[in-house]
Amino acid sequence: MDFKIYFLIFFLFTSVLHAEQKSILFGHNLATTAQTLDKNQITAGTYVLAYGITDDLMIGISPWMLAGYNLENIVLKLKYNLFEYQKISHQLTYFKSNPMFGEKYQQISMSYWLTHAIEFDRYTLNTTFNYMYFWNENRPFSLRREPFYNQAQQFTLTTLHQFYFTDETILQFELGILGLNYKYPNLSAGASWMHIFSNAWSTQIGASFSKRFTGPAYPDYDDFYIKNYENYSDNSIHPEIQIQYWF
């Protein structure tokens, strides 16, 4: 291979690395966005390792869920433009606990998100319907709350409000209802701060929580559907920490 071929490969490679990147946001654990990676774009970080198959279809895994929750996982996300400044996305994830990464959680489940996004100049409203089904929930993660109801599924409706103070600094607020099918539904709320550095790095720090405001204060053990102490509490906090690199 002569010098010109080497130079051409080097030029194409560095052009891809230095190409201007769009600000892709994934939102919160329950309240997602309708954004996907561009074709051949890659992101690697604590929250997700993903690849853009097309401009509207991406596939990935979450290192966060594997390391922190001992859950093998795979994520598939598809988006399409509904109208101008409006998008719809479908996101599907499969979880399965792996004792090699710990034994804190034991579950096999799937989760589906349907998100509608309306984009304004400095504000985006994301409305998400989420459905979860559990084949095994001996020790499910904290996104699954006690339903006081004999069924292995969970419905959630939540909104994510994104305020763009600049193109690099975004505040996000989440508000919704977790467990629409529960005997005692939970309020879901949260907030996070996100900053994008030089179109290559992004950092998001925040938290969301769910809380049951109704129902018995001290329920009997026999009333619980999930026989796991972590889900007995009427509230739960979910960290929202992301450090991502885009290339």
Side-chain angles (χ1 to χ4, degrees):
M1 188 180 296
D2 62 22
F3 176 79
K4 291 182 179 179
I5 301 291
Y6 278 115
F7 180 81
L8 178 60
I9 293 174
F10 176 79
F11 175 80
L12 292 174
F13 180 72
T14 55
S15 296
V16 171
L17 287 182
H18 292 90
E20 184 178 355
Q21 303 295 326
K22 295 181 180 179
S23 300
I24 307 294
L25 286 75
F26 296 119
H28 289 182
N29 293 333
L30 278 175
T32 65
T33 70
Q35 293 181 295
T36 58
L37 297 174
D38 292 335
K39 183 178 180 179
N40 295 328
Q41 188 179 15
I42 299 173
T43 183
T46 59
Y47 196 71
V48 65
L49 173 62
Y51 170 73
I53 300 173
T54 71
D55 287 341
D56 302 312
L57 178 65
M58 58 178 274
I59 189 170
I61 64 170
S62 173
W64 173 271
M65 300 304 297
L66 186 61
Y69 295 80
N70 63 276
L71 291 174
E72 297 176 350
N73 61 90
I74 186 166
V75 184
L76 192 66
K77 189 173 185 180
L78 172 69
K79 82 158 191 298
Y80 58 89
N81 295 323
L82 189 61
F83 302 107
E84 189 175 11
Y85 307 116
Q86 295 190 47
K87 296 182 178 69
I88 290 282
S89 72
H90 304 274
Q91 179 175 313
L92 184 66
T93 304
Y94 175 77
F95 300 102
K96 183 179 181 181
S97 54
N98 186 333
M100 290 182 58
F101 296 92
E103 298 184 356
K104 185 175 182 180
Y105 298 99
Q106 185 177 342
Q107 71 174 69
I108 301 175
S109 64
M110 60 81 65
S111 186
Y112 166 72
W113 293 260
L114 173 64
T115 300
H116 174 256
I118 305 177
E119 301 173 350
F120 300 92
D121 185 27
R122 290 291 177 181
Y123 167 72
T124 298
L125 171 62
N126 301 275
T127 303
T128 296
F129 169 79
N130 175 252
Y131 171 76
M132 290 186 181
Y133 187 85
F134 295 80
W135 290 277
N136 179 331
E137 51 180 339
N138 289 336
R139 293 194 299 274
F141 54 24
S142 57
L143 294 177
R144 168 63 162 167
R145 307 308 302 148
E146 172 57 49
F148 293 98
Y149 197 80
N150 188 23
Q151 59 176 248
Q153 55 188 348
Q154 173 177 293
F155 298 92
T156 297
L157 183 64
T158 187
T159 59
L160 183 68
H161 307 264
Q162 298 173 303
F163 298 91
Y164 291 74
F165 287 86
T166 68
D167 292 338
E168 295 80 25
T169 301
I170 303 101
L171 286 182
Q172 303 182 111
F173 296 95
E174 176 185 356
L175 185 64
I177 300 295
L178 184 154
L180 292 169
N181 58 317
Y182 284 9
K183 187 174 182 179
Y184 310 111
N186 290 234
L187 172 70
S188 179
S192 63
W193 168 88
M194 183 169 187
H195 191 78
I196 301 166
F197 302 89
S198 303
N199 272 335
W201 291 92
S202 67
T203 301
Q204 177 176 317
I205 300 175
S208 63
F209 78 95
S210 55
K211 182 172 179 60
R212 184 179 72 246
F213 286 99
T214 60
Y218 302 99
D220 294 332
Y221 178 82
D222 292 338
D223 293 336
F224 289 106
Y225 171 68
I226 303 172
K227 307 300 183 181
N228 176 26
Y229 73 92
E230 183 173 329
N231 298 77
Y232 293 172
S233 174
D234 62 0
N235 64 82
S236 179
I237 297 178
H238 322 294
E240 307 283 357
I241 302 172
Q242 303 179 23
I243 301 174
Q244 294 292 137
Y245 181 70
W246 311 84
F247 55 96

